[in-house]
Amino acid sequence: MHRKAAPRLMALAGFGAVLGAPVGQAMAQASNSTTLIQPVISPDFRRDRNVSVLERPHPDFDPLGYRLGSFLVNPALTVSPGFTSNVYTDNANKKSDFFLITQPSLSLTSDWNVHRLRLVASGDIRRYAKATVRNQNGWSTSVTGRLDVSQDLVVDLIGEAGRRFESPFADDVVANTTNVSSYLQTMLNARATYKMGRTRFVGGLERSTFEFNSVDFIDRPSRDQGFRDRTMDRITGIADFALSPSLSLYAELIYDRNEYDTLLANGNPNRDSNGYAIIGGTNFDLAGLMRGSVGVGYSRRDYKSELYPDAKGLSVEAEVEFFPSPITTVGITARRQIQDAALGSTSAYSDNRVGVRIDHEFLENLIISTTADITRRDYFESPQYTDVLSVATEARFQMTRGLSFGGNLRYGSSRPHGSSLGRSFDEFRATISVRIRR
């Protein structure tokens, strides 16, 4: 039975724009994401002074699409066979398996001089050779519109819905389940951007709902995740002042409200709360050197039930890219934020992450990427914590406009230190992919 899913709160809406990624990779992230609630607004440090390896245009390899009046239609299909050394992400029940990922997508994008409309539908279908209980039927649809009110005022409207599956490395999810925890998410978002001289103001409104399925275990009964069902409303505002064409200062304020649908499994009240975060920082784009955003602030979450102590603390969001050469980009990210816990009667935990990414363009149509991420989740009301490590390397070869190949090797480990946090596990995963598009 599927229930409304309530992912842990990002008390701090993150910033720093997401690096470009191939369609197949982007779809996989959407269906098996490690971040359940995405940032509403991202201070834009891209001022065309630097272009990353993944952003560099390659017109000779761009898809042509099909013309449909004033719209462009782009279909794509990615097929990725792969192998996992630990299909149940449980070292006490460690079994290897082969799998096949099929990811179709279809986008419809307007080609107007002003305003913009884009519709996207995609699927993420995963089938395992032996562990069929791990099969996934992920999907996502979105509608994005941009209204150019004037030269200085732009309004963006976004609507999304999708069935997504939780990564075993995500947040404080118990990994050792037989099936994969999934949730149905809907999201409506509106934001307005107004520019006045060197100053930019951005305001955003968002409502998201989450509906989780139940999860099964080998050694205990199924668990209904209805206690994670929730609705989140969020308001975000940014004021950005440019000191120069390459440097600006900004201030960001986020307020959100979380309302859960049901009590916890043990009958205790759920984690209804109000939260806010105040962040100040700078974003920059220095030609030939680096670009990025660095912000530090304070966040607080006030729980309505006295069972859960209020959570507060330092928040950090940073993303910096370095450009040692025109064909190499090095990115470093760091984040510290407060999130709602999903396990036991704990109110919240501190999510601390550091990551490095290196993209190198060996050829115009061949890119090699290497990533490493370290995460520690510290729980406010107990000495429990979890350490997570992920290391990966990926190659992407665009043979023609419509045909590309890829390969990915990834190692991940999760080390919970606490009786209610699940079991430790390691996983090695390898995939190859073939992608056709138009």
Side-chain angles (χ1 to χ4, degrees):
M1 180 178 70
H2 297 294
R3 302 288 311 242
K4 277 188 189 173
R8 279 75 51 211
L9 164 71
M10 288 179 67
L12 166 63
F15 66 84
V18 178
L19 296 180
V23 168
Q25 177 183 348
M27 289 169 52
Q29 291 173 347
S31 181
N32 285 71
S33 178
T34 58
T35 303
L36 298 180
I37 302 178
Q38 301 295 332
V40 177
I41 301 171
S42 298
D44 190 4
F45 55 70
R46 288 160 173 76
R47 297 179 171 87
D48 298 327
R49 293 175 172 266
N50 292 288
V51 178
S52 71
V53 168
L54 296 181
E55 293 174 332
R56 185 171 295 115
H58 299 287
D60 291 340
F61 294 96
D62 288 343
L64 298 176
Y66 297 99
R67 175 64 60 179
L68 182 63
S70 59
F71 287 84
L72 194 63
V73 181
N74 292 101
L77 175 65
T78 303
V79 178
S80 306
F83 168 84
T84 173
S85 65
N86 194 349
V87 65
Y88 293 110
T89 57
D90 182 1
N91 285 357
N93 182 38
K94 197 168 188 178
K95 297 180 180 180
S96 61
D97 204 352
F98 292 92
F99 58 85
L100 180 68
I101 303 175
T102 305
Q103 296 171 312
S105 70
L106 181 67
S107 67
L108 181 68
T109 307
S110 66
D111 189 21
W112 305 330
N113 293 328
V114 294
H115 313 309
R116 188 172 187 266
L117 180 63
R118 179 176 172 82
L119 294 85
V120 179
S122 62
D124 187 353
I125 303 167
R126 306 190 177 204
R127 293 292 182 267
Y128 288 84
K130 294 180 290 186
T132 57
V133 70
R134 305 290 285 183
N135 291 348
Q136 301 179 23
N137 294 315
W139 58 271
S140 177
T141 60
S142 67
V143 179
T144 304
R146 188 192 70 218
L147 181 63
D148 299 312
V149 180
S150 68
Q151 185 176 357
D152 300 320
L153 177 61
V154 176
V155 177
D156 294 285
L157 300 172
I158 303 172
E160 291 184 358
R163 167 63 61 182
R164 310 181 193 282
F165 289 78
E166 291 192 280
S167 165
F169 301 101
D171 306 311
D172 61 342
V173 174
V174 173
N176 54 297
T177 60
T178 54
N179 64 330
V180 181
S181 176
S182 71
Y183 60 97
L184 177 65
Q185 178 184 8
T186 65
M187 187 271 287
L188 293 175
N189 173 258
R191 68 172 180 256
T193 303
Y194 178 71
K195 297 179 181 179
M196 182 176 60
R198 294 187 176 187
T199 306
R200 182 181 69 131
F201 299 97
V202 185
L205 299 173
E206 178 188 352
R207 163 161 284 205
S208 296
T209 65
F210 304 87
E211 180 176 330
F212 271 93
N213 69 338
S214 59
V215 290
D216 302 320
F217 300 87
I218 292 178
D219 55 351
R220 48 184 155 149
S222 298
R223 184 176 71 184
D224 185 350
Q225 296 194 100
F227 66 93
R228 300 176 69 188
D229 297 5
R230 78 166 180 184
T231 298
M232 184 200 73
D233 296 307
R234 182 165 56 181
I235 303 173
T236 307
I238 291 179
D240 184 298
F241 179 75
L243 300 176
S244 71
S246 60
L247 177 66
S248 68
L249 302 176
Y250 74 90
E252 184 174 16
L253 176 64
I254 306 112
Y255 170 81
D256 66 69
R257 179 181 64 187
N258 293 276
E259 294 185 349
Y260 289 82
D261 293 350
T262 62
L263 300 177
L264 290 178
N266 56 13
N268 287 327
N270 222 315
R271 302 175 179 86
D272 291 354
S273 63
N274 297 311
Y276 68 85
I278 302 173
I279 306 167
T282 178
N283 55 73
F284 49 88
D285 195 345
L286 308 178
L289 295 175
M290 67 177 72
R291 68 180 182 184
S293 289
V294 178
V296 178
Y298 174 83
S299 60
R300 181 183 178 94
R301 179 140 303 279
D302 296 324
Y303 292 92
K304 297 180 181 181
S305 171
E306 295 181 356
L307 178 65
Y308 309 111
D310 297 336
K312 57 186 177 181
L314 176 71
S315 293
V316 177
E317 289 284 348
E319 178 182 348
V320 180
E321 292 176 314
F322 299 91
F323 300 89
S325 76
I327 60 173
T328 303
T329 303
V330 179
I332 299 176
T333 59
R335 185 179 75 188
R336 185 181 192 275
Q337 63 185 22
I338 296 172
Q339 297 201 48
D340 274 2
L343 303 174
S345 299
T346 302
S347 62
Y349 65 91
S350 173
D351 185 273
N352 309 278
R353 301 179 182 229
V354 177
V356 177
R357 181 184 182 99
I358 302 174
D359 299 300
H360 183 74
E361 188 180 281
F362 279 88
L363 300 170
E364 181 184 5
N365 57 343
L366 175 61
I367 296 175
I368 306 295
S369 300
T370 301
T371 60
D373 298 279
I374 300 175
T375 301
R376 167 162 287 194
R377 297 189 287 268
D378 283 314
Y379 291 80
F380 279 87
E381 302 160 50
S382 72
Q384 297 185 111
Y385 65 93
T386 299
D387 290 327
V388 178
L389 169 67
S390 177
V391 180
T393 185
E394 180 180 16
R396 296 178 295 280
F397 177 65
Q398 191 72 41
M399 177 173 286
T400 66
R401 292 182 186 271
L403 179 63
S404 62
F405 300 92
N408 183 286
L409 300 174
R410 181 178 299 274
Y411 169 80
S413 70
S414 177
R415 294 288 180 267
H417 298 268
S419 58
S420 64
L421 301 181
R423 300 171 180 169
S424 298
F425 72 90
D426 301 86
E427 183 195 29
F428 171 76
R429 181 172 287 245
T431 60
I432 57 175
S433 63
V434 179
R435 180 183 177 208
I436 55 175
R437 65 178 183 178
R438 172 63 181 184

